[in-house]
Amino acid sequence: MKRWTHPQDLVALIAGAYAALSPLWTTTTTRATTTMVVLGAITAVLALIELVRPDMMSIEGLTALMGALMVAAPWIMGFSGTRPISWTAWIVGAVVLVVGAADLQVTRSHHRGTMATSH
């Protein structure tokens, strides 16, 4: 698989960066800000790794997990009452979850195809 060719990784990178920076323009709390910065930064780093190494299925699984954590974060971290940052977490998390799962499928298909042609 070629580097820098997966658009879903670029979407995850942009979504992670958006989440990490969203407290700058979104109504938030201290706990929500910390949560979004940490989850967003980790997501962006994972997406960057995927862009460089697109064949790492474990990273793609982690990206999908980060999306799920972002969706759950407003309830787990207790900031679901702060609607602007909650909606940011829910929407960005859903996007990251979907693109992470899609990327995992693409990589699995590629690995299956590679294994079938090597036998």
Side-chain angles (χ1 to χ4, degrees), residues 30-71:
T30 303
R31 183 178 283 185
T33 296
T34 302
T35 302
M36 293 302 286
V37 168
V38 169
L39 292 178
I42 292 170
T43 300
V45 168
L46 290 173
L48 193 58
I49 292 169
E50 288 177 45
L51 284 165
V52 174
R53 296 280 317 269
D55 56 341
M56 294 180 67
M57 283 196 294
S58 59
I59 299 296
E60 286 142 10
L62 287 175
T63 300
L65 176 64
M66 293 307 295
L69 289 174
M70 230 180 281
V71 168

Side-chain angles (χ1 to χ4, degrees), residues 80-91:
S80 62
T82 309
R83 291 292 183 203
I85 198 71
S86 294
W87 277 104
T88 300
W90 293 325
I91 293 168

